[in-house]
Amino acid sequence: MKKKLNIGLVGYGFMGRTHSNAFLQTNRFFDTPYDPVLKAVCARNAERVRSFAANWGYESTETDWRALVERTDIDLVDIASPNDTHAEIAVAAARAGKMVMCEKPLGRTATESEAMVTAVERARVPNMVWYNYRRVPAVMLLKQLIDEGRLGTIFHYRAKFLQDWTISRDLPQGGEGLWRLDVAVAGSGVTGDLLAHCIDTALWLNGSISEVTAMTKTFVKERKHNLTGRVEPVGIDDASAFLCRFENGSLATFEATRYARGHKALYTLEINGEHGSAMWDLHDLHRIQWFDHRDEGRLRGWRSIHVTDGDQPYMKHWWVPGLQIGYEHTFIHQFADFLQALAADRSAAPTFRDALATDDVTDSVLRSAKTGRWEKVPSRVQVA
Amino acid sequence: MKKKLNIGLVGYGFMGRTHSNAFLQTNRFFDTPYDPVLKAVCARNAERVRSFAANWGYESTETDWRALVERTDIDLVDIASPNDTHAEIAVAAARAGKMVMCEKPLGRTATESEAMVTAVERARVPNMVWYNYRRVPAVMLLKQLIDEGRLGTIFHYRAKFLQDWTISRDLPQGGEGLWRLDVAVAGSGVTGDLLAHCIDTALWLNGSISEVTAMTKTFVKERKHNLTGRVEPVGIDDASAFLCRFENGSLATFEATRYARGHKALYTLEINGEHGSAMWDLHDLHRIQWFDHRDEGRLRGWRSIHVTDGDQPYMKHWWVPGLQIGYEHTFIHQFADFLQALAADRSAAPTFRDALATDDVTDSVLRSAKTGRWEKVPSRVQVA
Amino acid sequence: MKKKLNIGLVGYGFMGRTHSNAFLQTNRFFDTPYDPVLKAVCARNAERVRSFAANWGYESTETDWRALVERTDIDLVDIASPNDTHAEIAVAAARAGKMVMCEKPLGRTATESEAMVTAVERARVPNMVWYNYRRVPAVMLLKQLIDEGRLGTIFHYRAKFLQDWTISRDLPQGGEGLWRLDVAVAGSGVTGDLLAHCIDTALWLNGSISEVTAMTKTFVKERKHNLTGRVEPVGIDDASAFLCRFENGSLATFEATRYARGHKALYTLEINGEHGSAMWDLHDLHRIQWFDHRDEGRLRGWRSIHVTDGDQPYMKHWWVPGLQIGYEHTFIHQFADFLQALAADRSAAPTFRDALATDDVTDSVLRSAKTGRWEKVPSRVQVA
Amino acid sequence: MKKKLNIGLVGYGFMGRTHSNAFLQTNRFFDTPYDPVLKAVCARNAERVRSFAANWGYESTETDWRALVERTDIDLVDIASPNDTHAEIAVAAARAGKMVMCEKPLGRTATESEAMVTAVERARVPNMVWYNYRRVPAVMLLKQLIDEGRLGTIFHYRAKFLQDWTISRDLPQGGEGLWRLDVAVAGSGVTGDLLAHCIDTALWLNGSISEVTAMTKTFVKERKHNLTGRVEPVGIDDASAFLCRFENGSLATFEATRYARGHKALYTLEINGEHGSAMWDLHDLHRIQWFDHRDEGRLRGWRSIHVTDGDQPYMKHWWVPGLQIGYEHTFIHQFADFLQALAADRSAAPTFRDALATDDVTDSVLRSAKTGRWEKVPSRVQVA
């Protein structure tokens, strides 16, 4: 008999949908010990939150997250609302003894994130941040290869996240769907939005980053603000790039932008080691490119591996070889892993603390972009 | 208020899963006027059918399809069991006044299929066959281009469906998961299984086929039979290829095999017209390759179109540009289309009659492979 | 000290240029025992042949091939003129005791080719046909893999040669540059021009073909003739496709057309064996795609091998790894191989006799396209 | 009647071969007003230089470049010897009134390069540096697109040159073939060797660079030196990366390394503008990827343009559409352009002065890697 897990979701946007889908789909494909119950969804617009609840099967709605957090019939608070709400909700939820899941980035700054880490660790509640790309089967396969030592000493890492959706000067900032352009809400631009994904994966695959040197740019300096109706300065970074050194001695380049015409959501990563190299690309997320120097010389080449076989990560739960899954499945995998960890009384990675490490890097990047200097990434001692 | 649609599913294999997922997911992403109710699932093994029902949320189970067909609380019978059961169940369900959906191919032979068409048309019940690849967004985009005349006169069509999963001589035939190798159950080998997909799409995109010349081969002549425990002759075709002429004057080549090492489920198609050409590949199903001769000369090239934008077929229902969907979504799209058609008192394509046209081609292919001659594909007069 | 080899070239078109380039470049990159001397070039237009001679460094010119063939200062006659001249020139050259090299196809028909084979074999003169694609390093690497048994039993072969340059109805037939559309000169359309390349490679890689069933089509039935100035029927096949069985038990599909919009010269081939598969594509001729089933399961994939390393065929003679060569180099490789064979008193493959085997297949293809039946490919007994 | 141009080549290594081939091939394919005469080749090893001369058809040999420079029968001195010889030879040749062509990079440092610029400008002799990648047809097509304003405002530029040939610790430094690892000879590691190519193309396509921040690394700190026989410190940079700002406001990332396993010579570049983007890759040098935002929305995609048509740069001189050329042809194109410019009494780009601009960037990169700060790239006033 599965154990009920009562979920209260905050936010009904893009991420509210991906999370809700994960809650509903996980047990159809994965055998977990929990039965997720969509207890309540919370958002400010009462009419629209009711419509969302009806569509996804939430039992009730709230319009004030404080009420949600206080409800005794909620086990887990899942935060899928804009970045400026993450810290306050997470801290309150932890204090109320709820498990907490939070969309990325954790906070708008490492300072906010630190408070969130402190709250969940003090409350000893399971917690997780939705850096979903770790759960792409192809990326997980790459993680396996690295952990098995198949690449040998790592020399290089490079990651990019390229989009092109904000090039038009007519695009306003702020409000629903466009809060990512409003620095007060988002905290930063592509650094916290896109680079944060690249950094989370990189820290997981390649270890800690020691120091960075960065540049950022805001191409469009003013945009109409949807909430005020006035043309206002744009406070976010439209593009952000940095060089860095990892603690394992490897060098890396990172770049994110929303001004790379022709790229919708091109998150690519590559890692080069002594014996092998691997690449991945979100636009064809079910493939990795793998080069093994130990293959016979005249037959060496990059293998395009179609990650859809039962012996590849997560794929035995889905269809048959050759039939791909998509973007939404990464959230299903992450929630399945969360439930499995919960059964073992653990948090699933990335925890709030893991995500704080990413924020430490993004903070360093933004700092370096201002100082024009190499900036050390702070190293934190894990609370015992 | 949505109208209840009570579904009775027969079969709990691979296709039972894809259909059930479609029933559950459609209304989360598409606004249809029906509320599908998973009323009952039927299969011979009582224990396993209960487990399947529990996983997917079916309200009840049956172990005899005749009982299911007779239930008055069922509106629609969906057939996802092996090919040898399609005709009998479909005819009975139609006679019982149920809507009928059937996995492809319709029957094991055009003769079986014809009886099925007659049954649903006499009973005037909505009916549909699950040739799901028509609902890949990229394939639907290609259909739009053809229908808009963007390719001009069509000269060539070519399609292949290549797999490699039966190369081992140690693989047995028959029984669950392997009935596709048992000619008594499957009706034929790759011709009815894989070529049928290629033909359905081709007839839809490029019109009727006039005549074919074909060859087939069974590479492994004997395999252990799972049901008898004895080594028995293999009756299916392992590979099948044909040349044909379409009624529009174009020439085509088709090929399917389960002996193409390195290909898991490589269904590719290409169409060449006077002004443009297009290609699609199931292994990266969210892309089409498009060549437009009317582009400026020195800049002509094949465009790799990542079909994930809101103005591309079906995609406004999913995520954001750049984020791909997968195989299972084709079933969701098809079921959404079925429900929309139902609201307009129509069947959604491909109907049983549409699918009969595919069986007429596969029958001609198998006949030509025996006679060594070009065989005309019969043309049928639509019942008024 | 290298031995002089006096060459007399017939024809100054596209192939006259590729051959002349090969004569001049071979010894810069390959160490052969011969010193090719560009003794004479022959073509009907006296002015243009002088200009060609000046450009390429031919010592003299002729306007009648009979005069060239009779010259005592010529060791080798190289035929690069249109197809209708091949047989007559080759037979005369052989009778005059010259070595003979001939552009492909050998004759317009197998009957013509047979006479040419008889002539060179009776005269015992070295002979070779310019099926240059055998000398693409990537194709030669594929040959090595097959000969080493790396693919195991072969199940499938498929080849296509797709072009789009004759789609316009305004294109005339006949005369310089367009003789390939004039059946009297060319012998056939794409069958002898493009399919012949596919067949030559296939026979070399996969052995003899037993029987074929084919279709051809002439899309544009009439074109203005450049020589008569009148609109005349088009006698060539614009498109040609066939199914066949190889003697090794494998099945194959072949197709060639000049009506595949978007493809300039897309010669692709693929071979599927029990243990591995390989693909090659003329548009990126320096790569092969290689799949090895014996790779570790979860890491199997198609390797894209960039054939530019010193341990790959021919490449140690060129630049450094990663730097590709092009189309013209295949002729250089073939001429280098011819010179090496000559030093050993042999002909280099493909000899006239090897090329006759290709003509036997193209004849069978054209015959089957007329009869609508499977046609056996004649097997010839090698003259002792 | 063509005018004789007497060439004296210094160096017989890899670049001595590519240049010699260009001298011999240019007039076969391009109609230039000059007749290049291979007058002399110079290198220290008398026996090997004679062998090189025999292979390529040089009329004479020298073992001291000073003798070559003084010869009155030489019009043009071409420097293809290691980097440490460039400045001295070029200055002497210019003073002797010779035209000078020089392999890249111009000098080991901007200081050396400046002296070379001064020498050729004072002597008013035609001069050119062999940054051959500008003459790849695909790259030239990209240049046309930019110059026509097809991309609009430029936002981003990124370039990488990745190799993997020095990963082994057993590889020695110094001496023939390995002088690129010897800092005294090469001046720097990948910065002057590989990044210099990326920078030259970038300055040409995207204008001047204002400032850079860089990092470099030497992975293998000691290697046996071939000339001393002792293990010695490695002075070159094995990897080098930088961020920069262009004067047109765009941001860029550059990276070069010889430690990127799996990449032989992967020079890739990408440029993103308001209306379009383009990519190029040396491993498939005959293609560009082109994205045009002004294409119809639902059909936008990256076009893979196979640059082999007569209306594309340089290609009317070669074969027919679809048939690719290779690496060596870039040198032929550059020499053809040099000869055409010469007829107009000009130097062909890139001149020594153009190449000095690249050295100013590489110097700034190496300086920033030491200081850890953003470094301004000096702007030089063109001598009137």
Side-chain angles (χ1 to χ4, degrees), chain B residues 178-341:
Chain B
L178 292 170
W179 60 262
R180 283 179 179 78
L181 280 77
D182 181 347
V183 73
V185 177
S188 70
V190 296
T191 302
D193 183 19
L194 307 179
L195 268 186
H197 272 301
C198 300
I199 294 164
D200 173 72
T201 319
L203 297 178
W204 181 57
L205 294 176
N206 200 36
S208 297
I209 292 173
S210 313
E211 53 176 354
V212 306
T213 186
M215 68 178 171
T216 59
K217 178 150 185 170
T218 304
F219 286 107
V220 174
K221 312 287 191 206
E222 294 187 321
R223 291 184 185 275
K224 190 186 149 196
H225 201 296
N226 273 330
L227 302 185
T228 66
R230 287 194 305 270
V231 173
E232 298 197 2
V234 172
I236 61 158
D237 44 299
D238 288 336
S240 180
F242 68 97
L243 308 178
C244 73
R245 299 177 193 276
F246 278 81
E247 289 185 3
N248 66 6
S250 60
L251 305 185
T253 63
F254 287 82
E255 184 185 4
T257 180
R258 294 183 187 134
Y259 282 71
R261 187 56 88 193
H263 299 303
K264 299 176 183 179
L266 188 82
Y267 173 15
T268 61
L269 65 87
E270 176 171 355
I271 183 162
N272 304 133
E274 188 180 358
H275 306 306
S277 289
M279 293 193 264
W280 173 77
D281 174 347
L282 175 57
H283 278 195
D284 295 283
L285 60 80
H286 53 291
R287 291 185 181 271
I288 57 165
Q289 308 295 321
W290 165 238
F291 181 91
D292 192 336
H293 187 64
R294 287 176 287 202
D295 282 342
E296 180 186 348
R298 109 206 118 120
L299 295 177
R300 282 187 202 122
W302 286 83
R303 290 184 212 171
S304 182
I305 304 176
H306 200 262
V307 185
T308 56
D309 282 6
D311 58 355
Q312 291 166 328
Y314 299 108
M315 292 309 298
K316 73 178 174 195
H317 298 277
W318 297 100
W319 312 109
V320 300
L323 300 180
Q324 72 193 57
I325 57 170
Y327 166 75
E328 74 213 47
H329 302 73
T330 59
F331 294 88
I332 299 171
H333 299 164
Q334 186 159 3
F335 191 57
D337 287 348
F338 178 83
L339 295 182
Q340 298 293 0

Side-chain angles (χ1 to χ4, degrees), chain B residues 152-163:
Chain B
T153 306
I154 303 301
F155 298 123
H156 291 288
Y157 192 97
R158 53 189 78 83
K160 293 187 302 240
F161 206 135
L162 308 183
Q163 299 188 331

